[in-house]
Structures are given as structure tokens and as C-alpha cells.
Amino acid sequence: MADYLHNLRKRRRGRLTHQYKATADQRVAVIGLGRFGSSLANELMRRGWDVLGIDTDTRLVQKYSDTLTHTAVADSTDPEVLRQLGVNEFTSAVVGIGSSIEASILISSNLLDAGVPNIWAKAVSRQHGQILERLGVHHVVLPEHEMGERVAHLVTGRMLDFIEFDDDYALVKTVAPEIATGRPLGQSQVRSRYGITVVGIKRPGEAFTHATADTVVQKGDIIIVTGKTQAVEAFTELP
């Protein structure tokens, strides 16, 4: 621990090998290096962030010690440990623990007390998520529940991808229904008739491009559609 703290105080160890270098506001502590935490940490590293990975499992910490900027074997339920690791100086923190709701709540509370500006926490149930929200956690993630809803939309309809936001707004990739093909989008009146907006289009063998009122959608084109969730769902069910 002493050696780690010495290295941590240097802040930079030159491990970032990607094209972007982390700035002061691109430091994040990821607490819990299970499947969720490690996947998130590695993606943040790929995007040029400075990642401190923390877990109580020595095996997991050793596994990711060569891929993350910093790692530590530590019990984050102890606020003094977080202080020694300098987590209070980070702009963001993610609590990726799902095996212990009690630990998740304690760690989230410690991060809030430390004044970390942006805290994300994984919840394993809606009740767990509600507790985290009441604590004041800035962003609560329900990965299994959200993925289940997303897959359900893909299974039951013509959607190729589906993302829903908190305010009942969705972004969908789908094969263009016949009603939207053969004439410019401005003339098809899909916005006024169906309450959706086509924002992108992809033809076979071509890249996605922005859609305008003059864009003519052809049969077999893939389109990106936005709007209220119910409106988007109804639109993608059209023949």
C-alpha cells in the first residue's frame, strides 16, 4: 500500500498508450473490478481517461494492474482508505459492486461525503437503485434491467437497436417501413403523422449519413429514428 500511495502521488506513470492523454477532469475511480467495473474501466482507458481501479480481491487487481493507470487492493467501505488513495481529488467515481448491496451503499455514501462531483453506481434491483438515489448518487445504473428491456424491444419488433432515455424518449435503428420510402422525408410527413423524426440513414454498402427533408429513403434502407417511446415503437411496426 505504501508503494502504491507513493506512485499515486506522482499522478502520472506513463501507462497511457492511446492517442489521447487524460486531463485533470478525466480521472475516474472505478470501485469493483467485476465484469461491469472492469469492462467500464477498460473502455475508459481506451478513451484516454486516467483510471484508478480498486477492489478487495487481490486476484482481480493483479489481473488489471497492467492495463489500468493505477490499481489498489483496498476496502472502500472505509472512508479513510478512500482519502489515502486520493479519491476525493477525482472528478468522477463509479461504484460497480453488485455482490453486496450494503457495501455499495456504504461506498456511495463515502464518495458523497468526500465531495466527488460525479458519482455513478450500479444497482442490482430497483429497490437498490432507489436507495442510492435517495442518498444523492448522481447517476444510478441498472444494467441487467435496462438490457432486458432493450432486448425485449429487439425481439418483439423490427428494431435493430433501441435506446430509451429517462424522459420517455427513444432512439431506434430500424429498417425503413414502406410509408417512409420512395419520396423525400419532407413530403412523407412522418414527423406530423407519426410523431417521430428520421435523423440518419444508411444504404447497403454505404456509411450512415444525416437525413434532411430532401432525403429520399429507399426500400431496404436502415434509418435512425427518434421520438417518444410509444411513437417510435408504433412507427417501427408499420409494414
PDB file of all heavy atoms in Angstrom, residues 202-219:
ATOM      1  N   LYS A 202     -28.847   4.837 -43.700  1.00  0.00           N
ATOM      2  CA  LYS A 202     -27.742   4.015 -44.190  1.00  0.00           C
ATOM      3  C   LYS A 202     -28.250   3.092 -45.285  1.00  0.00           C
ATOM      4  O   LYS A 202     -29.188   2.330 -45.084  1.00  0.00           O
ATOM      5  CB  LYS A 202     -27.123   3.185 -43.071  1.00  0.00           C
ATOM      6  CG  LYS A 202     -25.916   2.367 -43.521  1.00  0.00           C
ATOM      7  CD  LYS A 202     -25.387   1.517 -42.374  1.00  0.00           C
ATOM      8  CE  LYS A 202     -24.086   0.833 -42.775  1.00  0.00           C
ATOM      9  NZ  LYS A 202     -24.223   0.001 -43.982  1.00  0.00           N
ATOM     10  N   ARG A 203     -27.601   3.179 -46.425  1.00  0.00           N
ATOM     11  CA  ARG A 203     -27.920   2.283 -47.523  1.00  0.00           C
ATOM     12  C   ARG A 203     -26.910   1.146 -47.551  1.00  0.00           C
ATOM     13  O   ARG A 203     -25.778   1.309 -47.098  1.00  0.00           O
ATOM     14  CB  ARG A 203     -27.913   3.045 -48.851  1.00  0.00           C
ATOM     15  CG  ARG A 203     -29.018   4.077 -48.927  1.00  0.00           C
ATOM     16  CD  ARG A 203     -29.347   4.466 -50.358  1.00  0.00           C
ATOM     17  NE  ARG A 203     -30.602   5.209 -50.369  1.00  0.00           N
ATOM     18  CZ  ARG A 203     -30.669   6.543 -50.327  1.00  0.00           C
ATOM     19  NH1 ARG A 203     -29.563   7.253 -50.286  1.00  0.00           N
ATOM     20  NH2 ARG A 203     -31.849   7.139 -50.318  1.00  0.00           N
ATOM     21  N   PRO A 204     -27.299  -0.014 -48.079  1.00  0.00           N
ATOM     22  CA  PRO A 204     -26.367  -1.144 -48.135  1.00  0.00           C
ATOM     23  C   PRO A 204     -25.043  -0.761 -48.794  1.00  0.00           C
ATOM     24  O   PRO A 204     -25.028  -0.159 -49.865  1.00  0.00           O
ATOM     25  CB  PRO A 204     -27.133  -2.180 -48.977  1.00  0.00           C
ATOM     26  CG  PRO A 204     -28.573  -1.854 -48.754  1.00  0.00           C
ATOM     27  CD  PRO A 204     -28.626  -0.357 -48.641  1.00  0.00           C
ATOM     28  N   GLY A 205     -23.948  -1.060 -48.106  1.00  0.00           N
ATOM     29  CA  GLY A 205     -22.626  -0.769 -48.637  1.00  0.00           C
ATOM     30  C   GLY A 205     -22.153   0.650 -48.428  1.00  0.00           C
ATOM     31  O   GLY A 205     -21.041   1.007 -48.826  1.00  0.00           O
ATOM     32  N   GLU A 206     -22.989   1.484 -47.798  1.00  0.00           N
ATOM     33  CA  GLU A 206     -22.613   2.875 -47.555  1.00  0.00           C
ATOM     34  C   GLU A 206     -22.595   3.164 -46.062  1.00  0.00           C
ATOM     35  O   GLU A 206     -23.133   2.396 -45.256  1.00  0.00           O
ATOM     36  CB  GLU A 206     -23.599   3.825 -48.258  1.00  0.00           C
ATOM     37  CG  GLU A 206     -23.641   3.671 -49.768  1.00  0.00           C
ATOM     38  CD  GLU A 206     -24.610   4.641 -50.415  1.00  0.00           C
ATOM     39  OE1 GLU A 206     -25.073   5.574 -49.718  1.00  0.00           O
ATOM     40  OE2 GLU A 206     -24.917   4.467 -51.610  1.00  0.00           O
ATOM     41  N   ALA A 207     -21.996   4.300 -45.703  1.00  0.00           N
ATOM     42  CA  ALA A 207     -21.939   4.712 -44.300  1.00  0.00           C
ATOM     43  C   ALA A 207     -23.201   5.488 -43.938  1.00  0.00           C
ATOM     44  O   ALA A 207     -23.956   5.944 -44.808  1.00  0.00           O
ATOM     45  CB  ALA A 207     -20.705   5.579 -44.060  1.00  0.00           C
ATOM     46  N   PHE A 208     -23.448   5.632 -42.626  1.00  0.00           N
ATOM     47  CA  PHE A 208     -24.573   6.443 -42.167  1.00  0.00           C
ATOM     48  C   PHE A 208     -24.362   7.901 -42.561  1.00  0.00           C
ATOM     49  O   PHE A 208     -23.247   8.418 -42.499  1.00  0.00           O
ATOM     50  CB  PHE A 208     -24.721   6.346 -40.650  1.00  0.00           C
ATOM     51  CG  PHE A 208     -25.629   5.241 -40.209  1.00  0.00           C
ATOM     52  CD1 PHE A 208     -25.103   4.076 -39.682  1.00  0.00           C
ATOM     53  CD2 PHE A 208     -27.010   5.353 -40.326  1.00  0.00           C
ATOM     54  CE1 PHE A 208     -25.931   3.042 -39.265  1.00  0.00           C
ATOM     55  CE2 PHE A 208     -27.850   4.326 -39.915  1.00  0.00           C
ATOM     56  CZ  PHE A 208     -27.311   3.173 -39.384  1.00  0.00           C
ATOM     57  N   THR A 209     -25.435   8.561 -42.959  1.00  0.00           N
ATOM     58  CA  THR A 209     -25.398   9.994 -43.242  1.00  0.00           C
ATOM     59  C   THR A 209     -26.588  10.663 -42.563  1.00  0.00           C
ATOM     60  O   THR A 209     -27.583  10.010 -42.237  1.00  0.00           O
ATOM     61  CB  THR A 209     -25.481  10.274 -44.757  1.00  0.00           C
ATOM     62  OG1 THR A 209     -26.701   9.712 -45.285  1.00  0.00           O
ATOM     63  CG2 THR A 209     -24.288   9.677 -45.486  1.00  0.00           C
ATOM     64  N   HIS A 210     -26.489  11.974 -42.347  1.00  0.00           N
ATOM     65  CA  HIS A 210     -27.600  12.714 -41.746  1.00  0.00           C
ATOM     66  C   HIS A 210     -28.768  12.784 -42.720  1.00  0.00           C
ATOM     67  O   HIS A 210     -28.581  12.927 -43.935  1.00  0.00           O
ATOM     68  CB  HIS A 210     -27.152  14.130 -41.374  1.00  0.00           C
ATOM     69  CG  HIS A 210     -26.136  14.170 -40.278  1.00  0.00           C
ATOM     70  ND1 HIS A 210     -26.419  13.797 -38.988  1.00  0.00           N
ATOM     71  CD2 HIS A 210     -24.827  14.500 -40.297  1.00  0.00           C
ATOM     72  CE1 HIS A 210     -25.344  13.926 -38.247  1.00  0.00           C
ATOM     73  NE2 HIS A 210     -24.357  14.341 -39.014  1.00  0.00           N
ATOM     74  N   ALA A 211     -29.961  12.699 -42.197  1.00  0.00           N
ATOM     75  CA  ALA A 211     -31.170  12.801 -43.012  1.00  0.00           C
ATOM     76  C   ALA A 211     -31.697  14.228 -42.979  1.00  0.00           C
ATOM     77  O   ALA A 211     -31.643  14.898 -41.949  1.00  0.00           O
ATOM     78  CB  ALA A 211     -32.233  11.839 -42.503  1.00  0.00           C
ATOM     79  N   THR A 212     -32.190  14.703 -44.114  1.00  0.00           N
ATOM     80  CA  THR A 212     -32.805  16.021 -44.208  1.00  0.00           C
ATOM     81  C   THR A 212     -34.198  15.869 -44.807  1.00  0.00           C
ATOM     82  O   THR A 212     -34.619  14.778 -45.198  1.00  0.00           O
ATOM     83  CB  THR A 212     -31.962  16.955 -45.097  1.00  0.00           C
ATOM     84  OG1 THR A 212     -32.040  16.493 -46.461  1.00  0.00           O
ATOM     85  CG2 THR A 212     -30.500  16.970 -44.654  1.00  0.00           C
ATOM     86  N   ALA A 213     -34.891  16.995 -44.920  1.00  0.00           N
ATOM     87  CA  ALA A 213     -36.235  16.962 -45.514  1.00  0.00           C
ATOM     88  C   ALA A 213     -36.192  16.521 -46.972  1.00  0.00           C
ATOM     89  O   ALA A 213     -37.183  16.011 -47.509  1.00  0.00           O
ATOM     90  CB  ALA A 213     -36.882  18.335 -45.401  1.00  0.00           C
ATOM     91  N   ASP A 214     -35.042  16.678 -47.632  1.00  0.00           N
ATOM     92  CA  ASP A 214     -34.914  16.309 -49.042  1.00  0.00           C
ATOM     93  C   ASP A 214     -34.433  14.874 -49.241  1.00  0.00           C
ATOM     94  O   ASP A 214     -34.362  14.392 -50.381  1.00  0.00           O
ATOM     95  CB  ASP A 214     -33.940  17.269 -49.746  1.00  0.00           C
ATOM     96  CG  ASP A 214     -34.456  18.694 -49.753  1.00  0.00           C
ATOM     97  OD1 ASP A 214     -35.685  18.882 -49.868  1.00  0.00           O
ATOM     98  OD2 ASP A 214     -33.624  19.623 -49.624  1.00  0.00           O
ATOM     99  N   THR A 215     -34.089  14.191 -48.151  1.00  0.00           N
ATOM    100  CA  THR A 215     -33.591  12.817 -48.256  1.00  0.00           C
ATOM    101  C   THR A 215     -34.702  11.875 -48.714  1.00  0.00           C
ATOM    102  O   THR A 215     -35.804  11.879 -48.160  1.00  0.00           O
ATOM    103  CB  THR A 215     -33.040  12.329 -46.908  1.00  0.00           C
ATOM    104  OG1 THR A 215     -31.941  13.164 -46.513  1.00  0.00           O
ATOM    105  CG2 THR A 215     -32.542  10.895 -47.017  1.00  0.00           C
ATOM    106  N   VAL A 216     -34.396  11.073 -49.723  1.00  0.00           N
ATOM    107  CA  VAL A 216     -35.359  10.079 -50.209  1.00  0.00           C
ATOM    108  C   VAL A 216     -34.929   8.714 -49.680  1.00  0.00           C
ATOM    109  O   VAL A 216     -33.854   8.211 -50.010  1.00  0.00           O
ATOM    110  CB  VAL A 216     -35.410  10.055 -51.747  1.00  0.00           C
ATOM    111  CG1 VAL A 216     -36.384   8.969 -52.220  1.00  0.00           C
ATOM    112  CG2 VAL A 216     -35.839  11.418 -52.286  1.00  0.00           C
ATOM    113  N   VAL A 217     -35.765   8.106 -48.852  1.00  0.00           N
ATOM    114  CA  VAL A 217     -35.487   6.792 -48.280  1.00  0.00           C
ATOM    115  C   VAL A 217     -35.942   5.722 -49.252  1.00  0.00           C
ATOM    116  O   VAL A 217     -37.057   5.797 -49.786  1.00  0.00           O
ATOM    117  CB  VAL A 217     -36.202   6.623 -46.921  1.00  0.00           C
ATOM    118  CG1 VAL A 217     -35.904   5.243 -46.327  1.00  0.00           C
ATOM    119  CG2 VAL A 217     -35.777   7.722 -45.959  1.00  0.00           C
ATOM    120  N   GLN A 218     -35.083   4.733 -49.478  1.00  0.00           N
ATOM    121  CA  GLN A 218     -35.407   3.646 -50.387  1.00  0.00           C
ATOM    122  C   GLN A 218     -35.719   2.366 -49.608  1.00  0.00           C
ATOM    123  O   GLN A 218     -35.340   2.229 -48.446  1.00  0.00           O
ATOM    124  CB  GLN A 218     -34.247   3.395 -51.357  1.00  0.00           C
ATOM    125  CG  GLN A 218     -33.838   4.611 -52.175  1.00  0.00           C
ATOM    126  CD  GLN A 218     -34.912   5.065 -53.151  1.00  0.00           C
ATOM    127  OE1 GLN A 218     -35.841   4.307 -53.473  1.00  0.00           O
ATOM    128  NE2 GLN A 218     -34.806   6.305 -53.608  1.00  0.00           N
ATOM    129  N   LYS A 219     -36.417   1.446 -50.265  1.00  0.00           N
ATOM    130  CA  LYS A 219     -36.725   0.165 -49.644  1.00  0.00           C
ATOM    131  C   LYS A 219     -35.432  -0.549 -49.254  1.00  0.00           C
ATOM    132  O   LYS A 219     -34.491  -0.623 -50.037  1.00  0.00           O
ATOM    133  CB  LYS A 219     -37.518  -0.708 -50.617  1.00  0.00           C
ATOM    134  CG  LYS A 219     -37.952  -2.047 -50.022  1.00  0.00           C
ATOM    135  CD  LYS A 219     -38.791  -2.835 -51.019  1.00  0.00           C
ATOM    136  CE  LYS A 219     -39.220  -4.171 -50.418  1.00  0.00           C
ATOM    137  NZ  LYS A 219     -40.048  -4.959 -51.377  1.00  0.00           N
TER     138      LYS A 219
END
